[in-house]
Amino acid sequence: SSGINAEYGKERWDRWDGRDGEPVDGALLFEHFYEGFMAPYFGCYHCKDIRRALATIDMDDDGLVDWNEFKVYLVWAGRQYPHVADAPELLDKAFRLGLIPAMLA
């Protein structure tokens, strides 16, 4: 289950990688990651919670969100919730039950 869902996440990811003339390099600007993935969970891009969430994902502290940094949460959600109905539900679990609690820790 988690492999298929991680692939879905990668397909969404690839639609954002390279936006606005940025290199296609497996890393998203914080703004693009917010627009592509986080907006449903956080009220505004410039809010304090967004910066904390992005810092939680940005494990190597390079100011970008790398695919492998985000994939950690997708794989975790797939292992914790192997019976999710579909890939969008897995993304929801990754955010609501993985990323958001991690940023509040």
Side-chain angles (χ1 to χ4, degrees):
S1 171
S2 63
I4 292 169
N5 290 308
E7 289 173 18
Y8 165 83
K10 183 69 164 99
E11 288 172 14
R12 267 184 82 171
W13 179 276
D14 287 345
R15 288 194 298 254
W16 287 93
D17 198 3
R19 284 271 169 117
D20 300 332
E22 294 294 318
V24 177
D25 58 2
L28 300 184
L29 297 173
F30 280 175
E31 177 183 350
H32 293 162
F33 185 75
Y34 173 80
E35 291 173 15
F37 294 93
M38 295 179 76
Y41 304 98
F42 296 90
C44 70
Y45 176 67
H46 296 287
C47 298
K48 183 176 149 184
D49 285 346
I50 288 297
R51 293 293 167 198
R52 187 187 298 155
L54 290 169
T56 300
I57 295 172
D58 183 16
M59 295 175 204
D60 62 3
D61 199 27
D62 65 355
L64 301 167
V65 179
D66 301 319
W67 166 246
N68 287 329
E69 292 169 332
F70 182 48
K71 185 179 176 184
V72 165
Y73 289 96
L74 296 177
V75 170
W76 172 84
R79 289 180 180 160
Q80 292 296 311
Y81 305 97
H83 303 294
V84 295
D86 54 24
E89 183 183 352
L90 184 81
L91 283 172
D92 187 66
K93 298 275 189 204
F95 275 98
R96 292 188 191 278
L97 302 173
L99 175 64
I100 292 170
M103 74 175 231
L104 296 174

